[in-house]
Amino acid sequence: MLGIILWLFIAYIVGSIPFGLIIARATCGIDPRTGGSGNVGATNVARLCGTRWGIATLLCDLLKGTLPVWIGMAVSDSPLFLSCVALAALGGHVYSMFLDFKGGKAVATTIGIFIPLAFNSILLAAIACALVIWRSGYVSLGSLTLVTVMPLLLFLGGGWSYIPLSLVVMALVYWTHRENIGRLARGEEKAWQKKKHEEQ
Ligand code: G3P
């Protein structure tokens, strides 16, 4: 029991590491909370510091989800335990202990948690996300698509144990994107390329 609680706490601490802030400060001397969308995630780091540092942030944030879940599989293969580990990592990312309990929007870390749990489903969801971003230009719309199709893909693919996790994640990501949703509804969300130019 103590091992389980300890691992949940470690997952939260790992999720809390603000890679976007660290990478943006180190590479272009910008605090992403003060520029672009104000988010510390990969999209905003790419917007402010360039695509390659956005990709670096994406990979680091993704690993924050993958590693705690993957190592947690050695502690227990219980879907409830692994779902809690995944949520602890996501909670750390969104409510980081290093950022006054504020943080990112949880998309890269969501991809990360599902890589060891439901690889085929998250791969298809990521492809759907990429297609929406490519066709619409809105990263936020792609992110919302990813978390919306994930429960359906788990259902179709037989990954039923993780459907409750995917539904909680969907609610969390809709919550973190509430301002993006408002802008999308009002037609004020800026498409990726347009936004990039306007921020420069
Ligand atoms: O993953 C975050 C993305 O969906 C939106 O990012 O910076 O445009 O709010 P941003």
Side-chain angles (χ1 to χ4, degrees):
M1 187 64 187
L2 201 61
I4 287 175
I5 292 170
L6 182 66
W7 192 246
L8 291 176
F9 187 58
I10 291 172
Y12 170 76
I13 294 173
V14 171
S16 285
I17 301 170
F19 282 115
L21 178 63
I22 294 167
I23 289 172
R25 272 194 179 151
T27 59
C28 60
I30 293 175
D31 182 336
R33 294 170 297 180
T34 62
S37 69
N39 188 30
V40 292
T43 308
N44 206 34
V45 173
R47 189 179 286 135
L48 296 169
C49 301
T51 304
R52 76 183 145 143
W53 299 119
I55 292 172
T57 303
L58 176 75
L59 292 176
C60 290
D61 283 350
L62 189 146
L63 282 175
K64 293 197 308 190
T66 301
L67 289 180
V69 172
W70 187 57
I71 297 170
M73 285 170 150
V75 178
S76 166
D77 61 0
S78 154
L80 178 60
F81 167 67
L82 294 172
S83 295
C84 289
V85 172
L87 289 175
L90 283 170
H93 181 74
V94 177
Y95 303 104
S96 170
M97 63 190 290
F98 303 117
L99 300 177
D100 296 328
F101 299 97
K102 294 178 184 150
K105 297 187 177 178
V107 179
T109 310
T110 289
I111 296 173
I113 61 167
F114 280 115
I115 285 177
L117 298 177
F119 182 78
N120 290 341
S121 296
I122 196 62
L123 179 64
L124 290 173
I127 291 170
C129 168
L131 285 174
V132 169
I133 294 171
W134 176 54
R135 294 300 298 170
S136 70
Y138 299 123
V139 178
S140 55
L141 195 59
S143 302
L144 293 166
T145 301
L146 181 130
V147 294
T148 304
V149 299
M150 194 58 194
L152 183 66
L153 289 169
L154 285 168
F155 177 76
L156 295 175
W160 300 334
S161 310
Y162 293 107
I163 290 177
L165 171 65
S166 70
L167 291 171
V168 174
V169 169
M170 183 169 73
L172 177 70
V173 171
Y174 270 73
W175 171 251
T176 60
H177 282 73
R178 58 197 182 281
E179 289 176 9
N180 300 84
I181 292 168
R183 287 195 294 271
L184 284 166
R186 294 190 298 273
E188 293 170 3
E189 180 79 324
K190 289 164 187 153
W192 165 246
Q193 287 301 331
K194 197 174 163 194
K195 202 168 194 171
K196 194 173 169 191
H197 293 311
E198 283 177 4
E199 300 297 345
Q200 287 170 346

